[in-house]
Structure formats: C-alpha cells, structure tokens
Amino acid sequence: MADATYYIDEDVGQDIPEQTGDERLPYKTLGYAIYQKGEAANFKTRKSVTGELAEGADPSSRMEWKDAAKSALKKAVNYAKTLKKKAEKEGEQLALRAKEQAARNEVLEGAKKVVLEEDKSLPAPIKIKLDDTDSSKITLGDGKDVKGTRVRVFGRVHRERKQSKVLFITLRDGYGYMQVVLTGKLAETYDALTLTRETSMEILGELRQVPEGAHAPNNRELHADFYKIPSIWKAAGGDDAITNRVSKDTEHATLLDLRHLTLRGETASKVMIVRDAVEYAFNKVYKELRLRKVSPPALVQTQVEGGSTLFEFNYYNEKAYLTQSSQLYLETCLPSMGDVYCIEKSFRAEKSLTRRHLAEYTHIEAELDYINFDDLLTHLEEVMCRVLEVTMSDPVIKQHIMDLNPEFKMPERPFMRMKYQDAIDWLVKHEIPNEDGEPHKFGDDIAEAAERRMTDIINRPIFLTHFPAHIKAFYMLKDSEDPRVTESVDCLMPGVGEIVGGSMRMDDNDELMAAFAREGIDASTYYWYTDQRKYGSSPHGGYGLGLERFLAWLCKQHTVRDCCLYPRYFGRCKP
C-alpha cells in the first residue's frame, strides 16, 4: 500500500490537532505535519495567497500542490523531533501533577477527619487586640520555665508559610500584626492545609517571646492550642485569590476599581491610619489654640472660587451647588464664636487628571478674627508644625510615616517667605518658562509645574505671598502699600506644591461691593455674608488646607488619589 499524502498550505493552513492534513484541512508547517503523520508519509506544499508567480503566470497557479523539497524535509524532521520531545516532557509533567494532586487529595480527605477540641483544663483566655502589649495583663512565656498569658485573638491571614510540619501565620486585625505558630494536629486540619490569605480566624494560645535571632511583630508569637474558621470566614483562593486580583504590578486604575481590596495592603492601610492620626492632630491643635469647630452646609447657592468649578444640581426646583469652600460661612461665626475651623468635604468640578487634583476632597479651613497678615502666617506655621509634632509623638504613627517616607524630616522653621514678585524673578533667573514657553512676568498665574519645580529646587516649605489681585478670589484684601497685589499666601511643600491657600479678607463693605460688581456677581444673594461688614466689621483672615495634599507630602505618595478612602475625580465615581 502506497504511503499516504498530506498537504501543507503555509498561508491558510493551521497547526492544530483538529486538522486532518488533507486538501480541505491542510497543516500550516511541514514540521508539524511530520510530527503528526511521521517521516514516511508524502507531503505536498503550497502558498495559496503569497506564493511567487513567474512573469505573466496565472495567479491560479498558486493553488497547485508541489512535492516538499528535500532540504525543507530535513529541517522539518528535526523540528518534528523537537516537538515530540516537548510533548513527551509535557506529558510527563501532567502525569506528575496528576499524581501529586491525587496524593494531595488523599491527604486532604484524611485532614477532614482531624477534629480540634479546645482543652478546657487550660487557663481561660483573655481577649486582646493584636497590638496589645499591656504588661499589667500580658506575660510572655519562654517556652520552658515561664508560662505566657493565654489569649484569644481575632484577625485575617496576612501571610502564611509552611516550614516542615509547622505553619506560621501573620495575623492582621487593623490595629497590628501577630505571628502565630501552629504545630501538631493544628497544622494538619483541612482548614490549615487549605488556608488562604484574608481568611478570618479566631485563635487561642500562649504568648511567648520569639526565639533569639528570630523576628516577629512586638518580638512575640502566639503558640496556638486551638482555633476556629467558620466556613463563611474563609477567603477565596485559586484564580480568585486576593493576590491574583491586586499586586504591586496591577495597573493603578484597576487598583482603584478594587480599592476595597487595595486598602488591605500595607501601604494603603498605613496611609489611611496616618490620615486618621493627622486629622486627630488638627482637632487637638485647634483646641489648644482655642479655635472652635463648626459644621457648615455642603449644599449652597453661592460660589467662592469661581463658577467654572461648581457642581450644579436641582434643589427642590431651585439652582444649588455642592460647596467649593466653607470659608464664607466660617466668617459669619467670628462675631459669636471667636476663631473657628471646620474639617469638611469640598467639591470642585475641575476636568483635571493631574496627580494633585480631586473632585471631592477633605478641606481643613479656619478663620481668625482681629489679626493682620503676619499673624496669619505665624498661625499657619504654628498649626502645621504643631500638627506634625502631635502626629509624630505616637510611635506607631511615626513608624508608619518613616516606612512610607524614610527621608522625612520635620520642616525647618521659620518657613521661607517669598513674595510673588520675587518668585517671578527667581523663575526668570533659573530659566523656568511660563506655560507659553516665555519668561515669567508680573501678572502670570504661575503654573503648577513651574511652582513645584521651584519648590523642589529650594527644597523647603515656602510661604508664597502677595499675589496679583486679578488672579485671586474677589474677597481677598488688597495690600495697602501696593494695591496691585493682595495679602494672600500659598504654602508650598517640596514634592507636592501648594497645600494651603489663604488670605486676609476684605473688611470694608464698599470695597467688597465693588469687588462683587467687578466680578459680575449678584451681591444680593450674599446678604448673609455682606452683613458681617454692616454689623461691626473687623480685620480677619483665614485659609484652606487640602488634607490629601498634606498627606501626599507627609507620606510621600505620588498622587492624592492614594491619600483618601475612595477617590473621586474627573471620570471616576466608583466604587
């Protein structure tokens, strides 16, 4: 019987097992055809689409089958041998994996029979958080003569590793971490053998010092004698495991989509814990300075920072907005409450995707009565530095900050004070152009990039003051010695740029009304604000600090988006 003939079309053929190699279902390469059908068969080839044509030849000649060339057959045989070896190796690996899986399944079936029971003869455990180190109730054992306190802890599996017949678990509860040691039957249960990260556990055991030379959180470890993992506490594994959904290589947009899981990571959680500490510090420092906290409305019918960034909505058939700033409302509290502050959300409808802009952010704002501009700057410096002192006084928070920003140093006081005109001169001298590529000149609104570059080069906090009136808000007080500029200030920090904006406020009613007219704003809707000048005006000023920008600087985060729980910015309002 003659050897069978098989066909190879290098243009439309396919090297897949489903191909038969006949004229209707040809292979793509000669090597694959030999691998499938053996060297003894006959092979014919063609290029039905791209084959070369002799001059004047009919294109249909490309459809003719020709015997495979001997040189091509020789190369193809070697390739087929390579494919065969690869297939054999893959087959061996599949068989080995199947054998290993069968053995694992057998072990797991046996593990299901291991049942844990709490030893009621042991001392009753005390419930503690994972960071609890209170020596008045906790004793660390040494594994020999000194018996440690028996405790009950709850937490999620942050990490786990098997070493011989011992299972080491790092447990996390949001307050701290604890190393847990499972031995004997405890490490042989079905729950232990199938343990996945983020699984919740209740663990009882003895607290002991870690062995000499070893390391663990708080230099201790929990030697478990019993634990529980209810079925609904188990975290997903396999392809759906948290380590497959979020990792250091995951795209930032995906991490934000999965922010609820990203927050469980060490970096994100540390930033949020530092945020809590910083917000507490602001409240504490303001109380020390006798400022009173108020809660202004978020739904308003007036603007503060210009109409282009207002979020407008229908409020019972009236036009209303989400607040851009609580400043105007704070000013109304000065006569009755003295100096005041608030920590509230502000909203800016900016179609900006820069790393320092958010549509919703936490705004720390304060207004001070009977002050001058120097008083305002002194107060700002005192608040910021005192907040840092309070924050860094907590050793846990300090360690988080140093982990996130190892190069952090307390800002040097006094802050550098630089007038707008001096900044223009500095930018010109250092050949940093404006947005049009030209040298900066008086009247330019210094762009974010130039401002940040200047701050990074100087590398210390800067109070940039006395901005031109036409680039600042209508309510800012003009400098009595130079009416072209205002008594205004931006605090610039290296690495992030502006984090505070403030000014003295107009206290003369006629001047304020003229400013309304100049901006084309109907002053009648601001009656509650202008009345402050009508009924006993006073020299006053204030500022707004973006908490997320402050944190980006303190924690050395690339973007403010990573400094809030669930960021909202142009194009993102989820999850």
Side-chain angles (χ1 to χ4, degrees):
M1 180 177 176
D3 291 326
T5 299
Y6 298 98
Y7 297 85
I8 297 95
D9 189 325
E10 295 180 31
D11 288 329
V12 299
Q14 295 186 77
D15 287 344
I16 56 176
E18 291 77 15
Q19 297 292 97
T20 60
D22 61 24
E23 292 187 61
R24 292 180 304 104
L25 297 171
Y27 296 115
K28 186 176 182 65
T29 64
L30 184 57
Y32 188 82
I34 293 174
Y35 167 64
Q36 288 289 342
K37 302 302 182 182
E39 299 178 43
N42 296 313
F43 299 97
K44 291 185 178 291
T45 68
R46 74 182 181 191
K47 293 181 181 179
S48 60
V49 178
T50 64
E52 293 184 6
L53 289 174
E55 187 174 345
D58 188 338
S60 65
S61 63
R62 289 181 173 135
M63 303 301 292
E64 295 176 6
W65 297 103
K66 298 178 181 178
D67 289 334
K70 288 184 178 180
S71 60
L73 281 168
K74 187 175 181 181
K75 290 181 181 178
V77 166
N78 290 332
Y79 179 65
K81 288 178 180 177
T82 301
L83 289 176
K84 185 177 180 181
K85 287 180 181 178
K86 183 179 178 182
E88 289 173 350
K89 189 172 182 181
E90 288 176 350
E92 291 172 0
Q93 290 175 340
L94 284 172
L96 180 61
R97 283 198 290 270
K99 184 178 179 180
E100 290 173 346
Q101 186 60 49
R104 176 169 170 76
N105 289 340
E106 185 176 342
V107 170
L108 291 176
E109 284 303 311
K112 290 178 181 178
K113 299 174 184 176
V114 179
V115 179
L116 300 181
E117 292 184 5
E118 182 182 355
D119 185 348
K120 298 295 184 180
S121 67
L122 294 173
I126 62 170
K127 183 180 176 181
I128 65 169
K129 297 290 187 184
L130 300 185
D131 67 337
D132 194 340
T133 57
D134 186 350
S135 59
S136 67
K137 62 181 180 181
I138 295 173
T139 300
L140 297 183
D142 59 8
K144 298 175 183 177
D145 303 323
V146 179
K147 203 70 175 171
T149 303
R150 189 165 184 253
V151 299
R152 182 193 308 272
V153 297
F154 294 82
R156 291 175 174 82
V157 177
H158 189 63
R159 279 188 292 269
E160 82 292 333
R161 62 183 173 91
K162 193 79 178 284
Q163 186 174 310
S164 186
K165 294 184 178 182
V166 180
L167 181 60
F168 292 92
I169 298 170
T170 300
L171 210 62
R172 183 191 76 242
D173 69 352
Y175 292 93
Y177 298 88
M178 181 177 285
Q179 180 165 288
V180 181
V181 183
L182 304 185
T183 58
K185 282 178 61 176
L186 298 179
E188 297 169 359
T189 67
Y190 183 80
D191 285 341
L193 297 180
T194 60
L195 191 63
T196 51
R197 292 193 183 185
E198 297 303 320
T199 289
S200 288
M201 301 183 71
E202 175 188 355
I203 306 177
L204 285 69
E206 178 194 351
L207 280 176
R208 296 181 188 172
Q209 297 174 346
V210 293
E212 189 174 345
H215 301 281
N218 295 312
N219 293 314
R220 64 184 183 180
E221 57 189 11
L222 178 62
H223 286 255
D225 57 57
F226 181 70
Y227 64 85
K228 292 180 185 177
I229 306 178
S231 59
I232 61 172
W233 286 15
K234 293 183 178 181
D239 292 341
D240 214 23
I242 191 169
T243 49
N244 289 330
R245 299 190 69 189
V246 292
S247 71
K248 64 178 182 177
D249 299 320
T250 305
E251 290 187 357
H252 193 254
T254 303
L255 291 176
L256 290 178
D257 288 340
L258 300 176
R259 183 69 172 162
H260 57 293
L261 299 179
T262 307
L263 286 168
R264 301 185 182 202
E266 291 184 27
T267 297
S269 63
K270 283 177 181 177
V271 172
M272 290 300 102
I273 291 168
V274 171
R275 179 188 171 113
D276 167 65
V278 168
E279 197 165 332
Y280 165 79
F282 269 105
N283 281 302
K284 178 179 174 62
V285 171
Y286 280 136
K287 291 304 177 187
E288 290 175 356
L289 297 174
R290 300 192 66 200
L291 275 75
R292 291 193 169 100
K293 188 177 184 181
V294 295
S295 297
L299 311 181
V300 301
Q301 293 185 308
T302 52
Q303 67 183 51
V304 183
E305 299 295 335
S308 64
T309 62
L310 285 168
F311 277 109
E312 183 179 324
F313 65 96
N314 185 308
Y315 184 75
Y316 302 111
N317 296 320
E318 291 186 51
K319 185 185 291 187
Y321 314 101
L322 295 178
T323 185
Q324 297 170 310
S325 165
S326 297
Q327 175 209 316
L328 306 189
Y329 291 99
L330 291 180
E331 289 187 52
T332 68
C333 300
L334 296 177
S336 58
M337 301 181 69
D339 300 340
V340 291
Y341 78 100
C342 68
I343 301 179
E344 301 285 350
K345 291 298 179 79
S346 286
F347 305 86
R348 304 284 171 90
E350 290 184 276
K351 295 182 178 180
S352 174
L353 290 172
T354 74
R355 61 190 179 97
R356 54 177 239 165
H357 281 97
L358 293 166
E360 174 192 72
Y361 66 99
T362 300
H363 211 173
I364 299 174
E365 299 181 88
E367 289 294 319
L368 311 173
D369 207 5
Y370 298 108
I371 62 168
N372 59 35
F373 191 48
D374 281 338
D375 294 335
L376 178 62
L377 299 183
T378 300
H379 164 88
L380 254 177
E381 184 176 310
E382 173 64 22
V383 166
M384 295 175 67
C385 292
R386 181 73 185 115
V387 163
L388 291 171
E389 289 172 1
V390 172
T391 301
M392 298 294 280
S393 67
D394 183 324
V396 173
I397 302 304
K398 181 179 181 179
Q399 187 58 56
H400 284 348
I401 291 171
M402 299 314 295
D403 290 343
L404 295 164
N405 186 4
E407 299 172 359
F408 175 76
K409 294 179 181 177
M410 293 291 281
E412 182 182 335
R413 299 180 70 177
F415 289 5
M416 181 178 180
R417 299 190 183 191
M418 175 186 281
K419 289 188 176 183
Y420 166 88
Q421 181 62 66
D422 296 330
I424 293 292
D425 295 340
W426 190 98
L427 293 167
V428 170
K429 179 180 178 181
H430 288 78
E431 298 181 346
I432 299 174
N434 63 19
E435 289 186 301
D436 297 324
E438 300 174 353
H440 279 87
K441 60 185 181 300
F442 185 89
D444 284 350
D445 191 354
I446 301 174
E448 172 193 336
E451 188 178 72
R452 197 165 64 238
R453 190 173 170 194
M454 178 182 73
T455 310
D456 290 348
I457 292 172
I458 294 173
N459 197 31
R460 58 181 292 194
I462 301 171
F463 279 147
L464 189 57
T465 67
H466 296 88
F467 290 86
H470 72 274
I471 64 173
K472 283 297 184 180
F474 69 91
Y475 51 76
M476 293 189 178
L477 183 65
K478 291 182 179 179
D479 188 335
S480 60
E481 296 181 2
D482 184 357
R484 299 179 307 157
V485 301
T486 54
E487 290 192 338
S488 52
V489 58
D490 284 354
C491 182
L492 311 179
M493 286 293 184
V496 67
E498 179 200 345
I499 60 173
V500 180
S503 76
M504 294 299 291
R505 318 308 192 188
M506 288 182 179
D507 52 14
D508 182 276
N509 192 58
D510 292 340
E511 187 180 1
L512 182 60
M513 288 301 181
F516 276 119
R518 186 175 64 250
E519 297 293 323
I521 300 173
D522 180 7
S524 66
T525 58
Y526 289 80
Y527 70 92
W528 50 273
Y529 178 65
T530 58
D531 271 357
Q532 303 309 307
R533 281 76 180 165
K534 186 176 179 180
Y535 295 96
S537 191
S538 60
H540 64 284
Y543 56 89
L545 178 146
L547 179 58
E548 288 79 11
R549 289 189 184 182
F550 187 86
L551 287 164
W553 165 70
L554 179 61
C555 299
K556 202 173 185 179
Q557 297 301 291
H558 177 69
T559 171
V560 292
R561 298 172 189 175
D562 293 335
C563 297
C564 46
L565 199 64
Y566 289 94
R568 297 291 183 257
Y569 57 90
F570 180 55
R572 175 169 294 276
C573 195
K574 67 175 184 180

